[in-house]
Amino acid sequence: MYARDCNLLRSVRLIFSKEFFFGSFFLVFILGINLGISYQSYNDFRVVQIILLLSLCLRSLFQQQYSITKIEITFLFYITIGSLFWTNSSFIVVDIMLVYLLFKAFQTLSYRNSITKLIVLSSLTMFLLLPLAIWDYINTGTYLPNWYLFSLNIRVYDSYFLIISTLSVWLYSTKEKYKSLYLLLPFLAFLAVLLDGGRSVTLAYTVFIAIVTICHKSIRLPLIGSYIGSWLSYLLVTYVATLGSSSLRIARESSSGRVDLWVNGLQCWAQNPIIGCGFYQLEQYPHLSAHPHNIFVQVLTETGLIGFSFLGFVLFKIARHISWNIKQNYFVIAALLAVIIDMSLSGVHIYPITQMTLLWLFVFLLKNPVFAHAQYFNQPAKNISKIERYLPGLVVLGLVIIFCYIFINASIFLDDMSSTPPRFWVYGYQLFR
C-alpha cells in the first residue's frame, strides 16, 4: 500500500514538473495535433516553443533559480552593440535571443528518464502510415513522404529521428523494459531516413552506431542487425519499386547547394570578420536558403569572430568537463559527434521541433546522473554580486517584451504570405507585416 502511494505521488509530481511540461511539446508534434495558431504549422510550433521557453524562464525566476553570469552580461552587451552594425539586425537579434532562451532552458531543466521513455515510445506511433507509403512506392516507383503528419521539410523529421534513435539506443543498452520496442524505433527511423535520402543524418547515424557497437559488446550484434536490416529493407524496397527502370538509383547525387551557401557565407564574413555581417542573404541572394546549413559557418558569418568566440566558449566548457576516455564515456562522445556532423551539414538548428529535441538531448548527455560530468552541469548557478539579484528579472522582462512585440506585429496570421526559406517564421525574409 505504501509503495503504491509512493508511486502515485511520484507520478503526480512528474505530471506537474517542468520536464513534463517541456515534454508535452513533443507530444503535439508526434501526435500531429494542429494547433491552428497560423496558416503554417512551422509558425504554430514557433509560437508554442517561445511560450514554453519563456514560461520556464519565468518559473525559474520566481523560484529564485534564474541567475546571470558575467559572460552572459558580456554576451547581451555584444548583441546590443552588434545590432547597431549588423545588416538587417532584427533578424539575427531575434535568432540569437531564441538561442539564449534555449540556453537558459537547459540550465533550468533536469534530466528525467521517464520523459525520455515517453518521447521515444510515443514516437513509434509516427511510423503507423509508413507501410502505406512503401506500398505506394512499390506500385508507382516514386517515393512520397506523405505519411508525415505535418507539411514540414523532411529534414526536420530526419534529424528528429537521429536524436530519438540515439535516446532509444541508450534505453535499449540500459536493459530497460520494452527492449524490443527500443530496438524497433532505430530500425524504422533509419529506414525512413534512407527513403528520404537524408545523407547528413545517414553519415551521422552511421558514425554513432559504429562507435557504440565497437565499445559496447553486449548490444553489438542487435544494433548491427538493426542497422543492416534498415539498409537491406531500403535496398529491397527500392529494387522492387524500380524493376521497370533501366537502373537502380539508391542515393541522391546533388550537393543541394551547400557549397554555394558556405562559400557565400564566408565571402560575406570576410567583409566584416570581427563583428559579422548579420542576416547576409536577405536581398543580395534571395534564391538561396535563409541559413547556410552549417551552424559554425552561420555563427561565424552572421556574428563574426566575436560571436563565434561565445560559441567556442560553450564548446570549450563542454569539452573540458566531459571525459574523453572512449571506453568509459563512449555514448556521450558518439552522440555529440553525430550531432556535430548533422549540424555541420544540415539546417537542423533552424526548426522549432529539432531545436527542442536537441535541447533535450543535451540535457540527457550533460545532466544525466549516470555520467560523471553531470555533477558539474547540474550545479546551481550562484549570484555573485548585488546587481545580479535584480538583473535576471530585467532580462526576462526584456525577453517577454521582445517576443510579445514580435507576436503582435508578425505576419503569421495572414494567409496570403508567400512561403520563403525559414528563419524565425516560415516567411524567412519577413518578421513583421
Side-chain angles (χ1 to χ4, degrees):
M1 186 71 172
Y2 175 75
R4 186 177 65 183
D5 291 341
C6 289
N7 291 333
L8 178 61
L9 181 60
R10 282 196 294 267
S11 300
V12 172
R13 287 178 177 175
L14 175 63
I15 292 175
F16 287 96
S17 69
K18 56 183 178 295
E19 287 77 23
F20 186 84
F21 178 58
F22 179 81
S24 63
F25 180 88
F26 298 94
L27 295 180
V28 174
F29 174 73
I30 292 168
L31 300 177
I33 299 174
N34 191 348
L35 299 174
I37 297 175
S38 78
Y39 294 93
Q40 297 282 348
S41 54
Y42 180 102
N43 295 334
D44 280 0
F45 283 108
R46 183 67 79 199
V47 172
V48 175
Q49 177 193 25
I50 297 301
I51 293 175
L52 192 152
L53 293 176
L54 286 175
S55 299
L56 290 176
C57 287
L58 288 169
R59 178 171 177 170
S60 178
L61 181 66
F62 291 141
Q63 294 177 344
Q64 297 184 343
Q65 297 174 343
Y66 192 106
S67 61
I68 302 291
T69 63
K70 292 180 180 178
I71 188 68
E72 289 179 54
I73 295 174
T74 306
F75 177 72
L76 295 172
F77 178 75
Y78 166 69
I79 295 173
T80 303
I81 299 300
S83 64
L84 303 176
F85 298 94
W86 288 324
T87 302
N88 302 296
S89 59
S90 59
F91 292 90
I92 186 62
V93 168
V94 169
D95 277 352
I96 293 177
M97 287 292 96
L98 174 56
V99 173
Y100 181 71
L101 276 179
L102 291 167
F103 171 72
K104 299 308 291 184
F106 170 82
Q107 289 185 327
T108 191
L109 289 170
S110 301
Y111 178 71
R112 290 180 181 265
N113 211 41
S114 53
I115 300 300
T116 298
K117 293 179 185 178
L118 175 64
I119 295 172
V120 169
L121 293 176
S122 299
S123 295
L124 277 169
T125 62
M126 299 174 67
F127 300 97
L128 293 177
L129 298 179
L130 176 59
L132 297 179
I134 292 177
W135 179 252
D136 187 59
Y137 181 29
I138 292 174
N139 289 326
T140 64
T142 301
Y143 174 72
L144 297 174
N146 50 14
W147 57 281
Y148 294 146
L149 297 175
F150 290 104
S151 58
L152 300 171
N153 188 323
I154 59 175
R155 301 297 164 239
V156 174
Y157 285 92
D158 292 343
S159 294
Y160 175 84
F161 290 152
L162 169 66
I163 298 171
I164 298 303
S165 295
T166 302
L167 298 174
S168 187
V169 169
W170 168 257
L171 293 174
Y172 179 80
S173 68
T174 53
K175 297 182 174 59
E176 296 280 356
K177 295 180 180 179
Y178 318 115
K179 285 177 68 71
S180 58
L181 293 179
Y182 293 137
L183 192 60
L184 176 62
L185 190 142
F187 165 77
L188 294 174
F190 190 47
L191 174 59
V193 169
L194 293 173
L195 289 169
D196 288 339
R199 292 167 297 180
S200 61
V201 171
T202 297
L203 175 60
Y205 186 69
T206 300
V207 170
F208 169 76
I209 290 295
I211 296 175
V212 172
T213 52
I214 290 172
C215 298
H216 200 313
K217 294 182 180 179
S218 64
I219 63 172
R220 180 178 299 167
L221 291 180
L223 279 187
I224 292 177
S226 173
Y227 179 83
I228 295 177
S230 296
W231 269 109
L232 292 178
S233 299
Y234 165 66
L235 293 174
L236 177 61
V237 169
T238 303
Y239 174 74
V240 174
T242 57
L243 281 178
S245 304
S246 58
S247 61
L248 176 63
R249 183 180 179 184
I250 62 173
R252 293 166 60 219
E253 299 173 356
S254 68
S255 67
S256 300
R258 280 171 174 74
V259 175
D260 293 336
L261 288 169
W262 298 339
V263 170
N264 173 49
L266 293 175
Q267 287 175 344
C268 183
W269 165 71
Q271 299 173 15
N272 200 344
I274 303 300
I275 200 168
C277 56
F279 191 88
Y280 62 93
Q281 293 171 340
L282 179 60
E283 297 172 351
Q284 192 173 1
Y285 301 97
H287 63 287
L288 295 177
S289 298
H291 52 87
H293 287 69
N294 183 308
I295 189 173
F296 306 104
V297 173
Q298 181 174 347
V299 172
L300 180 64
T301 298
E302 297 187 339
T303 64
L305 291 173
I306 298 178
F308 192 80
S309 66
F310 287 104
L311 175 61
F313 176 79
V314 172
L315 296 177
F316 170 76
K317 296 290 282 188
I318 294 174
R320 181 184 178 186
H321 290 96
I322 68 172
S323 170
W324 290 97
N325 187 321
I326 190 69
K327 292 183 179 180
Q328 297 177 357
N329 209 31
Y330 69 91
F331 199 93
V332 173
I333 295 173
L336 286 175
L337 184 57
V339 168
I340 289 173
I341 291 173
D342 189 34
M343 295 180 72
S344 298
L345 298 172
S346 73
V348 60
H349 50 286
I350 292 296
Y351 300 88
I353 182 62
T354 42
Q355 287 177 341
M356 301 294 273
T357 314
L358 277 169
L359 173 57
W360 187 249
L361 178 67
F362 278 107
V363 171
F364 159 71
L365 293 175
L366 302 179
K367 291 192 167 186
N368 191 339
V370 302
F371 302 128
H373 55 254
Q375 184 176 0
Y376 170 80
F377 292 100
N378 280 316
Q379 63 182 345
K382 299 178 181 179
N383 287 331
I384 302 174
S385 65
K386 200 171 183 180
I387 296 177
E388 291 176 354
R389 296 179 184 177
Y390 308 101
L391 189 58
L394 295 176
V395 171
V396 173
L397 177 61
L399 291 172
V400 171
I401 292 174
I402 288 173
F403 286 106
C404 284
Y405 177 80
I406 292 173
F407 289 164
I408 293 172
N409 293 278
S411 306
I412 62 170
F413 303 107
L414 305 178
D415 61 349
D416 57 349
M417 290 293 296
S418 59
S419 181
T420 62
R423 287 288 287 234
F424 189 82
W425 301 128
V426 73
Y427 313 117
Y429 298 151
Q430 185 168 348
L431 275 178
F432 311 109
R433 289 189 181 92

